[in-house]
Amino acid sequence: MFDKLPGDRTVLLGAVGIVAASLTASGYLLGDGLRRAKAAEREVSVRGVFSERDVTADLATWTLTFSHTDPDFARAQRSVEGQARAVRRFLAAAGLRANEVTDSDVSLSRERPQYGESGPERFTVSRTLQLRTREVMRTRAAYSRQAELLGAGVELAGSNVSYTFTGLNALKPGMIAEANRNARTSAEQFARDSGAAVGRIKTASQGYFSVGARDGEDCEDCGSTGGSTPFQKVRVVTTIQYDLG
């Protein structure tokens, strides 16, 4: 019986050695995994306006609405027709082509006397003309003189001009490339300050483009048109996330 003890002891010691080696390997793998996970958390995200271009709108849309109210329907119609001719003459004198002016709306409303009131029924005829042209600066100059329409008997109920830049697609590739370069420069500055190095891109947005007024406050959430001014600024906002070494 006692002769078997040395052999059993050898087996026991061997088993203990195997367990110890397994624990050592597991500890190494666990520590290496934690190190890798910690390294994966080292990243920097940059977001902002990294590319801008000053542009001039190349399309103007001017909408003019006028009307006339009269107890006589035919007279109201004639008045509005005369006003339309006056608007067209005004635009032609400003150097804008007649085929760029279109009728976009016409409407009629009737106002009857309220209960207990006396007086005739009244008719209001409204009409809207729209100018759509590439002659942006001529439109801008004419719009600044629209008070002359009042002197010509036009009963303006609304006048609105909008300027649009339509060449955005041609600018996008160059602006995105510039935005990516500038974003990386910002990330590298941050990395130097924190004693790290910029690695590969983890995630990147395509970039949000906006077109807004050139003068005034910067706006990342401006609309896609410059609105009431032909002098505009195109901006691209990008968000890029980099690994840090």
Side-chain angles (χ1 to χ4, degrees):
M1 176 177 177
F2 292 101
D3 293 340
K4 296 180 179 180
L5 287 175
D8 292 342
R9 183 178 300 169
T10 299
V11 172
L12 179 61
L13 291 175
V16 171
I18 292 172
V19 172
S22 299
L23 290 175
T24 301
S26 299
Y28 171 78
L29 292 174
L30 178 61
D32 187 60
L34 292 174
R35 179 182 62 80
R36 291 174 181 273
K38 189 66 176 176
E41 294 176 0
R42 291 170 59 82
E43 60 190 29
V44 60
S45 180
V46 291
R47 180 179 187 273
V49 178
F50 294 110
S51 183
E52 295 182 330
R53 296 285 190 278
D54 287 341
V55 298
T56 301
D58 51 13
L59 177 66
T61 305
W62 187 2
T63 303
L64 301 103
T65 301
F66 42 93
S67 63
H68 184 74
T69 301
D70 200 286
D72 187 291
F73 173 59
R75 194 160 52 211
Q77 279 187 306
R78 287 194 299 271
S79 173
V80 169
E81 184 61 38
Q83 292 180 54
R85 288 194 296 270
V87 170
R88 290 179 182 274
R89 285 194 300 269
F90 172 80
L91 295 176
L96 299 164
R97 292 189 289 272
N99 62 1
E100 295 178 328
V101 183
T102 58
D103 273 284
S104 64
D105 188 44
V106 62
S107 64
L108 168 68
S109 64
R110 305 171 65 173
E111 181 183 352
R112 295 181 175 89
Q114 299 294 319
Y115 179 77
E117 294 181 350
S118 60
E121 185 177 24
R122 295 167 62 84
F123 300 89
T124 299
V125 177
S126 298
R127 189 167 173 178
T128 299
L129 295 182
Q130 186 178 79
L131 168 73
R132 185 177 173 86
T133 180
R134 296 286 181 177
E135 298 288 348
V136 171
M137 292 307 163
R138 287 185 177 182
T139 301
R140 183 169 182 259
Y143 184 76
S144 69
R145 304 194 315 273
Q146 63 179 314
E148 296 175 14
L149 289 170
L150 300 177
V154 179
E155 302 174 44
L156 279 176
S159 175
N160 179 66
V161 66
S162 178
Y163 300 99
T164 305
F165 175 68
T166 64
L168 183 58
N169 286 338
L171 295 181
K172 281 184 176 181
M175 291 185 68
I176 289 176
E178 181 182 47
N180 290 342
R181 291 194 300 269
N182 292 340
R184 189 171 188 89
T185 299
S186 297
E188 288 172 347
Q189 179 61 52
F190 176 85
R192 283 194 296 270
D193 294 342
S194 59
V198 176
R200 64 181 179 85
I201 294 177
K202 292 186 67 176
T203 61
S205 68
Q206 184 178 0
Y208 169 73
F209 282 85
S210 66
V211 183
R214 186 182 304 176
D215 302 318
E217 297 181 359
D218 290 342
C219 174
E220 294 185 3
D221 299 317
C222 294
S224 59
T225 66
S228 60
T229 173
F231 306 113
Q232 302 169 3
K233 185 183 291 292
V234 179
R235 301 177 177 90
V236 58
V237 180
T238 58
T239 302
I240 305 178
Q241 194 175 63
Y242 298 93
D243 277 330
L244 288 181

